[in-house]
Amino acid sequence: MAFNKTGLENDVGYVLLSETQIRQRVQELDMQITRDYEGKNPLLVCVLKGAVNFYSDLCRNIADYMEMDFIAISSYGNEMKHSGIVRLIKDIDKSITGRHVIIVEDIMDSGLTLNYMTNLLKTRNPASLKTVCLLDKPERRECAITPDYVGFVIPDEFVVGYGLDYAGTYRNLPYIGVLKPEVYTDAE
Ligand code: PRP
Ligand code: 7HP
């Protein structure tokens, strides 16, 4: 059966960030990170699954030595609200003691996921630990944490696409959009 991308896109109320806007901003972040980490061979840690598209584009354009690793975190709660409980599903494989580490996230909302991860990785004594988030929703913050590099500050809207999901779907949209309210109200 053919994949119905039109149906998928019909669920999107409006595009918040286009492919072009995302591409340009990721390139700017890459230039900044390449400059800041010159000669440091940083380890970039992708937070599965939402960050995969951002991570892939970001790593592709870093013009210096770097290494990759992956971590998976599960947060309980429904799609719209973090429960405050975070659990480690898959740890990184590499030792980070003495390494320069950058955690790569798609979005910071309550901040609880990134807070958990930075606290966890700090105990392993990296040389430095920074965070890069494509999207930041500061209005939703529930703990005192700010990403070191931010792609876009966005309003308090539930967004999907470019890796971000609603109930596991919409990650494959190439842009970041806001769903029509009926998509999630009908699903409740
Ligand atoms: C999303 C997102 C962040 C987290 C941000 O992950 O990818 O990791 O929520 O929310 P917070 O700032 O309120 O903690 P999710 O748990 O939905 O998993 P996913 O990456 O697999 O979609
Ligand atoms: C998590 C998350 N996932 C998708 N879209 C959003 O707006 C989100 N905020 N926190």
Side-chain angles (χ1 to χ4, degrees):
M1 196 175 85
F3 179 57
N4 181 359
K5 191 142 184 180
T6 312
L8 187 78
E9 297 204 49
N10 274 343
D11 292 346
V12 177
Y14 63 93
V15 175
L16 184 67
L17 297 165
S18 68
E19 286 183 75
T20 308
Q21 284 174 293
I22 297 169
R23 193 177 323 110
Q24 283 172 352
R25 187 68 189 119
V26 172
Q27 279 168 5
E28 287 168 5
L29 288 171
D30 268 315
M31 283 194 290
Q32 211 180 335
I33 290 171
T34 302
R35 210 170 38 235
D36 293 353
Y37 284 84
E38 191 186 348
K40 291 185 173 166
N41 186 23
L43 179 72
L44 273 77
V45 177
C46 175
V47 185
L48 298 169
K49 311 184 185 74
V52 284
N53 290 353
F54 175 45
Y55 184 77
S56 160
D57 289 342
L58 191 76
C59 290
R60 201 191 322 258
N61 289 301
I62 289 184
D64 204 346
Y65 295 104
M66 59 145 294
E67 291 178 44
M68 295 184 176
D69 211 335
F70 300 84
I71 195 167
I73 305 286
S74 155
S75 48
Y76 293 94
N78 66 27
E79 294 298 325
M80 308 290 179
K81 178 94 182 84
H82 202 293
S83 67
I85 304 168
V86 182
R87 191 163 59 99
L88 182 65
I89 302 289
K90 184 219 167 289
D91 205 343
I92 51 173
D93 297 328
K94 292 180 189 289
S95 163
I96 57 167
T97 306
R99 295 286 312 262
H100 294 281
V101 178
I102 308 174
I103 301 174
V104 182
E105 258 288 28
D106 53 348
I107 191 162
M108 189 186 276
D109 194 300
S110 68
L112 294 168
T113 307
L114 210 48
N115 196 42
Y116 171 89
M117 263 181 301
T118 50
N119 287 337
L120 175 75
L121 297 188
K122 262 186 213 159
T123 63
R124 301 177 189 175
N125 299 317
S128 69
L129 180 62
K130 290 206 172 170
T131 53
V132 51
C133 276
L134 179 65
L135 308 174
D136 185 12
K137 274 194 215 173
E139 285 170 56
R140 304 263 305 173
R141 202 73 89 251
E142 291 177 29
C143 55
I145 183 164
T146 317
D148 297 290
Y149 302 92
V150 175
F152 302 92
V153 175
I154 61 164
D156 184 9
E157 296 278 8
F158 194 83
V159 290
V160 294
Y162 196 64
L164 291 131
D165 73 310
Y166 170 67
T169 310
Y170 305 106
R171 293 192 200 271
N172 54 324
L173 286 172
Y175 50 79
I176 291 168
V178 175
L179 287 179
K180 291 175 182 163
E182 59 264 31
V183 174
Y184 40 86
T185 45
D186 288 355
E188 278 166 5

